[in-house]
Amino acid sequence: MASQATISNTWINTKLPSSSFKELGSLSSNPTTSLSFKKRSTNNTTKSNKNNTISCSLQTFHFPKQYKPSSTSASPTNTTSKNSTTPTKENKTHQQILSPKQPPQKKWNLVQMVAAKALDFVETTLVSHERKYPLPKTADPRVQIAGNFAPVPETPVQHSLPVTGKIPKCIEGVYVRNGANPLHEPSAGHHLFDGDGMVHAVRFNDGSASYACRFTETQRLVQEKELGKPVFPKAIGELHGHSGIARLLLFYARGLFGIIDGNNGMGVANAGLVYFNNHLLAMSEDDLPYHVRVTENGDLKTVGRYNFDEQLKSTMIAHPKVDPVTGDLHALSYDVIQKPYLKYYSFNKDGVKSPDVEIDLKEATMIHDFAITENFVVIPDQQVVFKLSEMIRGGSPVIYDKEKVSRFGILDKNGDNGEEIKWIEAPDCFCFHLWNAWEEKESDEVVVIGSCMTPADSIFNECDENLKSVLSEIRLNLKTGKSKRREIIAESEQVNLEAGMVNRNKLGRKTQFAYLALAEPWPKVSGFAKVDLFSGEVKKYIYGDQRFGGEPMFLPRDTNSENEDDGYILTFVHDEKEWKSELQIVNAMNLNLEATIKLPSRVPYGFHGTFIHSKDLKNQA
C-alpha cells in the first residue's frame, strides 16, 4: 500500500531565519500576511494583541514573511534529491513543505461531480471568510509548522551513511520514530498534532547504518492523496467555533455523496509506535493502529489499518503499554461523542484480546497517556475535557475545566468491571505524559512519575502564561484514598521536561532513572536530562548552539544488565545553522557521545519512537 515514489513538489518555500524562535524583527507590512492574534480565554471572549509578534510560552515567534504556494515545483523523482531535502548554503534558511503530484481524478457519476463542485465552492467561500480573521498561534500553520517543524518528502532507503565514532555492537536492528508531516498545504487552521503520520527509520547492521522515511498510508491520507487536497477535518486546528461546525457539515456532506469515505477511520497515526506480537504499530488516539512493516533492506511499507484479526472495534490510545514481564499489551480507548467515554482492554502476548472494561466518566476527557504497574493500570481523569457544545458558542471543543478536580483511577489489570476502579483525587495535576508507575506495598501506595503541565490546555489553546512542565512524583494511597505530590527536581534547577522514557525493561516497576527531553526554549528541545528519581540529581546532555532534537530513546545494552542505566540514548538532532540532521548515540551511564550518523535528509522535530531488534525483525508478520 505504501507509495514508493518520492514526493518532491514544493508547495511552500518561505524564508526562515536560522533562529526562528528568537526576536528577529517585525512582520511584513503586507496586510495579507501581517496578522494580529487573539487570546482565547476560558469564557470564549477574545482580546486583540496589539503587537505583531506571537508570545508563545518561553519565546517569541515571528512569521515567515511569505506564506503562499511556490510558483515552481521540482520535477518528480524516484530517488532523494540532495537539493530537495538538504538546502545548499545559499538556500539553507528556506523551509520546504511539499505536496504530492496531482493524482488522476476520481471517477464520479454526474450527481457526485455536481455535488463535489458545489461543496468545493462552499469550502472556498468558507476559507475566504476565515482569512478575514486572525488565527491563534495554536492554529496558525506559519507557527505550527515553521522551521524544522515543517514537513519533508519521503526518502527511500539510503545505505552506508557516514558514521563518526563507532556504533556499539549491541545496537543491531532499527530505530523508528513517528511524527506529524502534513502531505498537503493547510487551507485553514493547522495544529502540529494534525499532520499526517510519517515514520523515520535508521537501521543498524554490523556497524553500518541506513535511513528511510515514509508516510503511514492511512485511509485519510490515501483518499486525500487521490483527491489532491485535504478534505478531512483537522481535529485541533480547524474544529473550533462556527467554522468548525461548517467543516464538519462539509465532511459529512462529502461522505453522503460518496466523494469520501470516513467509515474506515479518520486518524493520522502520527504519535506513538509500539512493537507487539510481531507487528510494528503506528498510532494516534483517534483511530485503530496501522501496521507498518520494515522491509529487508530497511525501507518502510504500510500494510494497513490493523484490528487485531477483527478483535478491536474501537480506537486505541497513542501510548499503549507492553508489560516487560508478561508481554501483554494494555491500552485505552476514549470517545468524545458518546458513552462510554472510556474503555480499557488488553491483549495477551499472543494477541488475544480481553473483553472491554467500560469506565464511567461524567464527561469526555482528553487522555493521551496512562501507566501500568505490576498489578494495576493507572488512568488519569484530568481537567482537559471535550465539550462539543462550545463550538456553538464560537469556542474550542477542547477546554480547561477549572471546576473539575483531577484524579487517578486504579484498576486491576485483569479486572472485568469498571465499577471496581478506585479513584483518588490529585488536585491541579495535569500530566500529558506519565513516565512510569509502581507499587510500594509496604505503604499501600501506587507511585506515579509524570510531568505536571501548567497551563493544562496551553498546547491546544492560546495562552499568555509561560508553559511549565514539572517532573513530579505523585503518591496515591490505596488505603486512605489520599494523594501527595512532590517536585522531583529542586526549584533552583527546574527545567521543562517533556517527552522521554525510563528503561522499558523496568516499566511498571520501581525505576531510578528517567531520560527526558529538555523542552527549552519551548517548544524546541535543546538536549536531554538523565534524572535520578530518588535524589533529584539532573545530568544534562546539550546538543549545542542552534542544535535541537526530540525525544531521547533509551536502549538497554543487555536485558540482564545489573545496572538500570546500562545502555544508550538514541536521538535525532537538527543543526539549524547548517540545516542538516543526524542521529546521535550517547552512552547513558556517562553521557559521552559514542557515534554520530549523518542523515541524507532533514528530520523534522517529531514525537515518539521505539527500537526493534534484528531478531524480532526476522519474525515480523
Side-chain angles (χ1 to χ4, degrees), residues 234-432:
K234 295 179 179 179
I236 306 175
E238 291 181 344
L239 295 188
H240 47 80
H242 299 151
S243 63
I245 296 174
R247 288 189 174 278
L248 282 176
L249 293 174
L250 273 171
F251 171 72
Y252 288 123
R254 285 180 169 128
L256 182 66
F257 285 102
I259 298 169
I260 57 175
D261 180 8
N263 294 322
N264 293 310
M266 298 171 54
V268 288
N270 66 14
L273 289 171
V274 66
Y275 189 76
F276 172 71
N277 192 29
N278 302 323
H279 293 77
L280 174 61
L281 302 178
M283 294 154 297
S284 55
E285 51 237 38
D286 51 358
D287 204 343
L288 270 66
Y290 275 81
H291 178 196
V292 178
R293 200 173 194 280
V294 182
T295 67
E296 290 185 4
N297 71 341
D299 212 334
L300 297 162
K301 181 178 181 180
T302 304
V303 179
R305 196 164 177 250
Y306 188 63
N307 60 12
F308 292 82
D309 297 326
E310 300 186 357
Q311 297 180 91
L312 185 59
K313 308 297 183 182
S314 57
T315 62
M316 178 181 283
I317 196 170
H319 290 281
K321 309 296 181 186
V322 177
D323 189 302
V325 176
T326 66
D328 297 345
L329 180 79
H330 302 270
L332 300 176
S333 173
Y334 69 83
D335 194 306
V336 302
I337 298 175
Q338 61 185 3
K339 287 190 172 184
Y341 293 128
L342 183 64
K343 294 186 289 188
Y344 160 71
Y345 54 87
S346 63
F347 295 88
N348 69 20
K349 63 181 180 180
D350 298 317
V352 178
K353 184 178 177 294
S354 72
D356 288 339
V357 180
E358 296 182 1
I359 299 171
D360 184 36
L361 297 180
K362 293 181 180 179
E363 56 193 344
T365 302
M366 199 284 294
I367 303 176
H368 181 69
D369 200 0
F370 73 113
I372 62 171
T373 69
E374 184 178 355
N375 295 294
F376 303 116
V377 289
V378 182
I379 302 170
D381 176 24
Q382 302 173 129
Q383 293 170 287
V384 177
V385 300
F386 297 97
K387 289 189 177 180
L388 301 184
S389 60
E390 291 296 322
M391 295 174 67
I392 299 174
R393 302 185 182 96
S396 168
V398 183
I399 68 167
Y400 171 46
D401 185 353
K402 292 184 177 180
E403 303 301 317
K404 183 177 179 179
V405 178
S406 292
R407 59 182 184 167
F408 288 90
I410 312 297
L411 179 67
D412 192 291
K413 276 181 176 178
N414 299 315
D416 57 6
N417 185 350
E419 294 181 359
E420 295 176 354
I421 193 168
K422 184 176 182 63
W423 292 106
I424 299 176
E425 292 185 350
D428 300 318
C429 179
F430 174 77
C431 294
F432 197 56

Side-chain angles (χ1 to χ4, degrees), residues 11-12 14 67-69 95-100 123 127 130-131 135 138-146 149-151 180-196 220 224 228-234 237-238 247:
W11 55 260
I12 295 179
T14 54
Y67 185 75
K68 60 184 179 181
Q95 67 181 18
Q96 294 183 336
I97 308 178
L98 303 138
S99 176
E123 183 175 28
V127 171
E130 287 178 329
R131 287 178 177 172
L135 287 166
T138 51
D140 195 288
R142 290 171 295 180
V143 176
Q144 294 294 309
I145 47 177
F149 290 97
N181 199 85
L183 176 67
H184 293 98
E185 176 182 8
S187 60
H190 181 92
H191 187 279
L192 175 63
F193 294 172
D194 290 328
D196 298 292
R220 177 187 186 119
E224 291 189 338
K229 63 178 183 179
V231 289
F232 284 75
K234 295 179 179 179
E238 291 181 344
R247 288 189 174 278

Side-chain angles (χ1 to χ4, degrees), residues 413-484:
K413 276 181 176 178
N414 299 315
D416 57 6
N417 185 350
E419 294 181 359
E420 295 176 354
I421 193 168
K422 184 176 182 63
W423 292 106
I424 299 176
E425 292 185 350
D428 300 318
C429 179
F430 174 77
C431 294
F432 197 56
H433 293 105
L434 300 177
W435 312 121
N436 199 16
W438 62 81
E439 301 160 36
E440 293 192 355
K441 296 179 181 178
E442 63 277 8
S443 59
D444 290 313
E445 289 179 317
V446 170
V447 179
V448 181
I449 305 297
S451 292
C452 291
M453 186 179 291
T454 55
D457 65 338
S458 59
I459 294 177
F460 306 102
N461 295 318
E462 186 169 357
C463 181
D464 288 336
E465 184 179 347
N466 288 351
L467 182 139
K468 193 174 182 180
S469 184
V470 179
L471 184 62
S472 303
E473 176 192 87
I474 305 152
R475 289 184 168 267
L476 309 172
N477 193 300
L478 300 180
K479 182 177 288 186
T480 66
K482 302 293 184 181
S483 70
K484 293 186 295 184

Side-chain angles (χ1 to χ4, degrees), residues 527-563:
F528 66 84
K530 176 184 179 181
V531 183
D532 188 318
L533 302 176
F534 302 162
S535 68
E537 180 185 19
V538 180
K539 295 181 179 179
K540 299 178 183 178
Y541 180 90
I542 304 299
Y543 298 135
D545 182 40
Q546 295 186 48
R547 293 166 63 87
F548 303 94
E551 175 189 70
M553 202 223 66
F554 177 79
L555 179 64
R557 185 183 61 82
D558 188 326
T559 56
N560 299 315
S561 294
E562 292 184 3
N563 296 318

Side-chain angles (χ1 to χ4, degrees), residues 174-228:
V174 61
Y175 169 51
V176 283
R177 197 220 67 192
N178 213 343
N181 199 85
L183 176 67
H184 293 98
E185 176 182 8
S187 60
H190 181 92
H191 187 279
L192 175 63
F193 294 172
D194 290 328
D196 298 292
M198 174 175 275
V199 178
H200 301 259
V202 177
R203 182 153 186 187
F204 302 90
N205 183 23
D206 195 24
S208 67
S210 66
Y211 169 79
C213 67
R214 294 287 185 185
F215 282 104
T216 298
E217 298 271 342
T218 62
Q219 292 291 323
R220 177 187 186 119
L221 182 133
V222 168
Q223 293 185 62
E224 291 189 338
K225 184 185 291 185
E226 188 175 4
L227 291 169

Side-chain angles (χ1 to χ4, degrees), residues 502-526:
V502 299
N503 184 331
R504 284 180 176 165
N505 291 334
K506 307 288 186 182
L507 195 69
R509 283 75 184 169
K510 192 171 186 176
T511 45
Q512 182 177 359
F513 299 109
Y515 310 91
L516 303 170
L518 288 167
E520 295 185 357
W522 177 265
K524 294 198 283 189
V525 172
S526 56

